Amino acid sequence: MKIQEIAKLAGVSTATVSRVFSHHPSIRPEVREHVFAVARQYGYHPRLSTRQRNVVILTPYHSVYPVQSCVDMILMALTQELPRRNFRLEILPVNNRERLDSIQFCAAVAIGAEPADFRDWPDRFPVPLVLMDREGTGNPAGVYFVRSDEEQGMRIAIDHLYERGCRKIGCIVHGSAGTGNTDIRRNAIVRALKSRGLPADDSLILLSGPGSDKYVELAGKLLKQGVDALFCPGGNAGIVMLYAFSLYGRRVPEDISLIASEQTFFSHYAVPPQTTISPDYAAMAAATADIIEARLDGQKAPVRTVLPYNLILRESVAAARKSSIPPLVYG
């Protein structure tokens, strides 16, 4: 559709529609909303000006515990890096992304969003979209991916446990099959275990589901099999595992070693302090800013940026297994 047709349908002049789409201050709020409502109704997406260095950050529309710490850390890194490069930020819940039709921005960043939700991005907006902490298929125009190397992250955790003498490692991967990074992490764990000649049965690699309410039960199942270590990527398993072990009468790291995902303001202060894997949040934010600046300068940017995890060594992994811990017996 043309702007003249939108004006006719909205019952206003072409000049008024133009002012609405350019955010002219003289337009009354009710007129602005009416014009945008007509545009949305007929699938018209105005090509808004990109001259302003405004970046929209799309976040989950509610606190997504137990992964909120990851979202918070990515958001914190972005709010430090992007303003340093003279970008102005607007944070928008992802369920309110229709508002993108009525604001001016030069790029958007979505944290932990599913790529399928943005299939129509190239048709709607002439600006880049960076999806963080997710991998997508194909090379959609204007869509970029910045994520951590899940294969490497799972491997360094398994390798560390192996090097400390662990030989039967149980794993609880946060999430459900087919969502987020769950399948990528599970498959990477299987490969890492097999590369070390360790058992990689389905009974030893469990999925937590969407929340954290199953962690205690799953920990009990793994302890019953006589595992000498637990690796729990994603979510807040580090917190819950300490609670679970206290219920089952197990000590960390004397009875069982533990590696979890880094949790802000917890992992370092837990008793004992927890060994964790952590994305390089600062590097992710810098890579995102690099992509946006390259696009604004008319330069090419890498469609995919994959960054290594960090292994943060603390005290929840034993130096070596001194004895064989018997399987947990119920009753």
Side-chain angles (χ1 to χ4, degrees), residues 155-215:
R155 186 178 66 252
I156 60 174
I158 297 298
D159 285 352
H160 182 63
L161 291 171
Y162 180 85
E163 290 163 1
R164 293 299 184 94
C166 301
R167 293 298 180 265
K168 193 172 185 180
I169 302 171
C171 301
I172 305 176
V173 183
H174 169 73
S176 303
T179 64
N181 297 316
T182 304
D183 295 334
I184 298 174
R185 289 172 177 167
R186 187 192 183 284
N187 294 337
I189 287 172
V190 170
R191 287 189 288 270
L193 290 171
K194 288 183 176 180
S195 72
R196 289 293 194 173
L198 301 177
D201 307 332
D202 288 344
S203 62
L204 292 174
I205 308 172
L206 309 177
L207 305 184
S208 74
S212 59
D213 53 307
K214 292 184 178 180
Y215 272 122

Side-chain angles (χ1 to χ4, degrees), residues 52-115:
Q52 297 184 38
R53 291 173 67 86
N54 296 338
V55 175
V56 176
I57 300 178
L58 299 166
T59 65
Y61 66 91
H62 58 74
S63 293
V64 283
Y65 293 103
V67 296
Q68 186 63 32
S69 180
C70 179
V71 174
D72 290 343
M73 290 301 293
I74 293 176
L75 184 59
M76 183 182 299
L78 289 172
T79 56
Q80 291 175 346
E81 181 67 28
L82 291 173
R84 227 180 350 243
R85 306 204 195 186
N86 298 317
F87 288 106
R88 179 180 177 274
L89 305 183
E90 179 164 349
I91 299 174
L92 191 67
V94 71
N95 67 322
N96 197 25
R97 64 177 179 266
E98 289 303 317
R99 189 166 178 271
L100 292 173
D101 290 323
S102 59
I103 60 178
Q104 289 183 314
F105 59 101
C106 66
V109 180
I111 303 174
E114 296 302 328

Side-chain angles (χ1 to χ4, degrees), residues 1-170:
M1 297 184 70
K2 297 181 179 180
I3 192 172
Q4 292 85 354
E5 296 174 90
I6 295 296
K8 184 176 180 180
L9 291 166
V12 297
S13 68
T14 301
T16 296
V17 174
S18 179
R19 291 190 181 98
V20 168
F21 291 163
S22 63
H23 290 264
H24 196 282
S26 68
I27 299 297
R28 299 194 308 276
E30 60 270 22
V31 174
R32 186 187 311 278
E33 180 54 38
H34 173 61
V35 170
F36 275 118
V38 171
R40 286 194 295 270
Q41 180 182 352
Y42 289 92
Y44 180 85
H45 304 289
R47 301 299 187 183
L48 301 176
S49 171
T50 61
R51 286 179 296 176
Q52 297 184 38
R53 291 173 67 86
N54 296 338
V55 175
V56 176
I57 300 178
L58 299 166
T59 65
Y61 66 91
H62 58 74
S63 293
V64 283
Y65 293 103
V67 296
Q68 186 63 32
S69 180
C70 179
V71 174
D72 290 343
M73 290 301 293
I74 293 176
L75 184 59
M76 183 182 299
L78 289 172
T79 56
Q80 291 175 346
E81 181 67 28
L82 291 173
R84 227 180 350 243
R85 306 204 195 186
N86 298 317
F87 288 106
R88 179 180 177 274
L89 305 183
E90 179 164 349
I91 299 174
L92 191 67
V94 71
N95 67 322
N96 197 25
R97 64 177 179 266
E98 289 303 317
R99 189 166 178 271
L100 292 173
D101 290 323
S102 59
I103 60 178
Q104 289 183 314
F105 59 101
C106 66
V109 180
I111 303 174
E114 296 302 328
D117 294 337
F118 294 90
R119 288 196 190 101
D120 61 346
W121 185 269
D123 299 323
R124 294 187 59 183
F125 302 105
V127 301
L129 167 68
V130 181
L131 295 175
M132 300 189 71
D133 194 38
R134 286 295 182 270
E135 179 57 88
T137 58
N139 298 303
V143 179
Y144 301 85
F145 303 92
V146 174
R147 65 175 179 86
S148 298
D149 188 341
E150 301 297 339
E151 187 81 22
Q152 174 261 352
M154 303 306 104
R155 186 178 66 252
I156 60 174
I158 297 298
D159 285 352
H160 182 63
L161 291 171
Y162 180 85
E163 290 163 1
R164 293 299 184 94
C166 301
R167 293 298 180 265
K168 193 172 185 180
I169 302 171

